[in-house]
Amino acid sequence: MLDLRSLAVGYRSAGRALLSGMDVSAEPGAFICILGRNGAGKSTLMRTIAGLQPSLDGVAALGGENVASMRPGTRARRIAVVLTERQFNPGLRVEDMVALARQPFTGWEGRLGDGDRAAIAEAVAVMGIEPFARRYFSNLSDGERQRVMIARALAQTPRLMILDEITAFLDLPSRVEIMALLRSQAKAKGQVVLLSSHDLDLSLQLSDSVWLLDGAGGFSVGTPEALSQSGAVGRAFDTDAIRYSPSQGRFEIRTSESA
Amino acid sequence: MSMRISSRAAALIVALAGLSLLTLTCGQIALPLADTVGALTGTQSSDLARQIVLEIRLPRVAAAIIAGAALGMAGVLMQALFRNPVADAWSLGLLAGGQFGVALTVTAAAFAGPAAVAFLTVFEGPSITLAAAAGVAAAALFMLALGRRVGAITLLVIGLMLGFTSQGLTSVLLHFAARAGGRVYGGWQDASFAAVAPAALPWLLAPILIGAGVAVATAKPLSSLLLGETYARSLGVKVTSLRHAVLAATVLLVAPVVAFCGPVSFVGLIAPHFARALAGTARILPLLPLAALGGALLALAGDAIVHAPWEQHFLHLNAILAIVGAPVVILILVFSPAVRQWR
């Protein structure tokens, strides 16, 4: 459903692409984690696939249609995002935030129909945010805000969901819960879910497929097991201080003996 | 429109009607209520009552309602566009910019000679509205460019400073215009609804009606912009054209107010907060009618206090608005969660 064809992403002003020649496909229901160190191009890649930033070369296509040339309204009905940008506004309540997700589906007034209300109610229930639905978004904790933003994306009923480092502000049980929840949503609705994360363990355990950015413009795609065994994970993340152990499936501190 | 919004709007309309009647009745010469109503409906009333109500008080009340409503709606637009709870046409220097535009035009005409002054006098309504619109638009574009670089509070301080600068320049310009024999808008540097002649009311109202129409048309995408620019784009909003449309609506709403009533302070800043509290939402569409009615009510109340039967005429509109408005702004700055983000 999602096809990247020789996609190159980056900023034109930087002179060269952060990532190039990406040829990857994802089937409906795929739960995909994008892994890589800071600056490897995760956010840029996701913004490009979401149609929020022009690609340097190549195409990201959803259902055979080039995302970059979709009409903004069409794109908004098919792709939902949760970003790291944190922008807050006076007087926006949680229920308003989630309801705004339905704007691409409503008329000029933004009046909600029965289908819109059902989508909102389901997203609110799935993320468990009813208890603070009437509160101001800006008065919530980081974890609560993150749940609201994910509920907002779910309420947009997209074919493709793009979530950038959504687990950064959550404690471990919440991270597991939310990632597992997104995975089951992807399966239940046949959506493609693209999620970037620094949670290596969790991502390798839960994802169907991993897009691993090595930080030097290269990338590898595969199942978590394959990437782990091939040493690609190690190449992307090893430093002088730590190294990935494929046999144990986790990082080890390098000691003087093993180094 | 939901029941909540309709019922609150209805209550505001009743309050506005009551206050209008009170303002038409009371004043230096108190009229019996029956005479006031009689003058309004054209039935039995003395000539004096008819003259006072229809020629003196009604234009003033109408100007206060129209200008207050325009400033209230413009406040809603600007607070959403700048994502700043203390933004409005006055606080960000748009009104002062408009004044400067008018002063520049008047001065230019004064120096250009009697023909230009005569032209300006004949086409007073459209020409000063246009001059104000140019000034408002210039100030708005400047603040919008700045708004992307600085925080909410910094922007407020810069807006107020821009306002002081424009007002200083305006007073200097008008001084030269007076020496050159041009027409000086007497007392216009203070805000007042009393100087609006009945013939000027259509010039005040027409751009504001168009501006209100544009505001309503942009309400839905502007609600998305409350989430921030990137989320708005992800919801299919064309952010650049939205900005231009909102800016156009703001200029249409604000320029006639500056041109005919001067720099009316605080109304546009407070009315949106009042509307949000009544509406229980920050979505733009339900806020527009409530902020319009709230702004009209506030402006009319200020005017009613100014023109109450005091021993002598000593109150200025902006003095009343400042006494009521400035403490409200202080409360917003101290308690608003959105402002707290910037500290």
Side-chain angles (χ1 to χ4, degrees):
Chain A
M1 182 157 71
L2 174 67
D3 301 286
L4 310 188
R5 295 194 285 266
S6 41
L7 184 72
V9 306
Y11 292 89
R12 218 164 277 282
S13 57
R16 60 175 199 91
L18 272 169
L19 294 163
S20 55
M22 290 197 79
D23 279 290
V24 193
S25 290
E27 294 308 310
F31 183 70
I32 298 162
C33 286
I34 303 183
L35 301 177
R37 297 187 60 186
N38 289 335
K42 296 191 293 290
S43 295
T44 311
L45 174 62
M46 296 179 102
R47 289 172 56 96
T48 308
I49 295 173
L52 297 171
Q53 179 175 330
S55 67
L56 294 183
D57 194 19
V59 166
L62 185 64
E65 219 177 316
N66 183 356
V67 170
S69 53
M70 277 184 198
R71 295 167 57 91
T74 309
R75 198 186 65 216
R77 285 191 287 274
R78 298 189 184 159
I79 303 176
V81 296
V82 180
L83 304 163
T84 45
E85 280 171 44
R86 306 210 291 153
Q87 291 180 311
F88 306 124
N89 194 269
L92 261 191
R93 292 176 198 271
V94 168
E95 56 186 8
D96 285 333
M97 302 265 309
V98 180
L100 283 174
R102 298 307 296 174
Q103 291 222 342
F105 303 88
T106 57
W108 72 271
E109 280 179 281
R111 185 193 295 266
L112 300 173
D114 291 341
D116 300 313
R117 286 182 207 287
I120 292 167
E122 187 186 341
V124 166
V126 165
M127 293 312 296
I129 60 171
E130 293 113 327
F132 41 94
R134 286 291 299 160
R135 283 174 59 193
Y136 287 114
F137 183 74
S138 41
N139 290 349
L140 302 181
S141 71
D142 283 332
E144 289 168 334
R145 285 178 183 177
Q146 208 59 276
R147 283 176 175 272
V148 173
M149 294 314 289
I150 297 168
R152 197 202 62 82
L154 289 174
Q156 212 173 327
T157 56
R159 297 180 191 177
L160 169 64
M161 255 177 84
I162 295 181
L163 308 102
D164 197 1
E165 290 186 23
I166 50 164
T167 54
F169 297 108
L170 304 175
D171 58 18
L172 186 63
S174 305
R175 290 179 193 194
V176 177
E177 182 202 335
I178 284 185
M179 285 185 63
L181 208 147
L182 286 168
R183 184 187 158 86
S184 65
Q185 282 284 310
K187 305 292 167 211
K189 310 263 170 175
Q191 298 167 330
V192 174
V193 173
L194 271 187
L195 177 137
S196 77
S197 172
H198 284 302
D199 253 316
L200 217 61
D201 289 355
L202 218 48
S203 303
L204 291 175
Q205 285 179 54
L206 286 173
S207 58
D208 300 317
S209 166
V210 169
W211 298 358
L212 188 65
L213 314 184
D214 67 12
F219 64 93
S220 3
V221 173
T223 61
E225 299 77 33
L227 289 180
S228 162
Q229 295 304 325
S230 74
V233 174
R235 280 196 295 281
F237 285 97
D238 283 0
T239 66
D240 291 342
I242 57 165
R243 92 191 159 90
Y244 185 77
S245 154
S247 57
Q248 305 214 23
R250 62 182 176 83
F251 283 93
E252 301 173 322
I253 309 284
R254 287 188 203 261
T255 57
S256 47
E257 303 92 71
S258 66
Chain B
M1 208 180 287
S2 77
M3 272 303 292
R4 174 174 177 151
I5 309 293
S6 318
S7 64
R8 288 190 175 44
L12 287 176
I13 290 171
V14 170
L16 198 57
L19 188 59
S20 303
L21 207 56
L22 184 75
T23 316
L24 291 171
T25 310
C26 300
Q28 288 304 334
I29 298 168
L31 297 169
L33 189 62
D35 277 12
T36 311
V37 176
L40 282 175
T41 53
T43 54
Q44 43 161 302
S45 171
S46 68
D47 281 351
L48 178 67
R50 195 175 304 132
Q51 198 181 358
I52 292 176
V53 171
L54 294 185
E55 288 172 26
I56 299 175
R57 292 183 187 164
L58 191 58
R60 207 186 73 216
V61 167
I65 290 174
I66 296 167
L71 290 173
M73 286 187 280
V76 169
L77 298 184
M78 290 189 61
Q79 289 180 13
L81 185 64
F82 284 91
R83 268 184 288 115
N84 183 337
V86 282
D88 100 292
W90 168 74
S91 67
L92 294 195
L94 272 57
L95 297 185
Q99 274 187 299
F100 184 60
V102 174
L104 211 57
T105 309
V106 171
T107 311
F111 279 100
V117 174
F119 178 86
L120 210 58
T121 312
V122 173
F123 298 101
E124 186 180 324
S127 55
I128 62 171
T129 305
L130 270 179
V136 169
L141 285 171
F142 175 73
M143 294 308 283
L144 204 56
L146 209 61
R148 315 187 70 165
R149 292 161 193 266
V150 303
I153 302 303
T154 314
L155 195 72
L156 172 69
V157 175
I158 294 173
L160 292 171
M161 294 305 126
L162 181 70
F164 290 139
T165 313
S166 314
Q167 279 181 323
L169 289 171
T170 299
S171 76
V172 171
L173 275 181
L174 288 180
H175 173 74
F176 283 114
R179 287 213 340 206
R183 175 168 177 195
V184 176
Y185 294 84
W188 170 77
Q189 280 174 277
D190 279 319
S192 169
F193 301 122
V196 183
L201 280 174
W203 288 110
L204 178 67
L205 185 59
I208 289 174
L209 284 179
I210 301 170
V214 178
V216 166
T218 59
K220 181 186 158 182
L222 192 56
S223 298
S224 305
L225 197 61
L226 295 175
L227 296 172
E229 192 178 323
T230 316
Y231 280 117
R233 286 174 57 210
S234 84
L235 287 171
V237 174
K238 293 168 190 152
V239 173
T240 309
S241 42
L242 173 66
R243 274 216 182 89
H244 293 157
V246 173
L247 214 57
T250 305
V251 172
L252 283 164
L253 288 168
V254 163
V257 177
V258 191
F260 294 102
C261 310
V264 181
S265 62
F266 289 104
V267 172
L269 205 164
I270 295 170
H273 291 274
F274 178 73
R276 271 190 287 271
L278 284 184
T281 177
R283 288 194 311 112
I284 305 298
L285 194 61
L287 290 189
L288 286 172
L290 293 179
L293 289 167
L297 205 55
L298 186 58
L300 187 60
D303 180 76
I305 295 171
V306 170
H307 291 94
W310 309 104
E311 296 261 316
Q312 47 188 159
H313 183 75
F314 70 107
L315 285 169
H316 289 286
L317 179 64
N318 269 351
I320 304 290
L321 292 174
I323 292 167
V324 180
V328 174
V329 175
I330 292 171
L331 288 178
I332 294 169
L333 289 177
V334 175
F335 291 110
S336 163
V339 172
R340 222 177 299 146
Q341 303 286 342
W342 291 100
R343 284 207 298 254

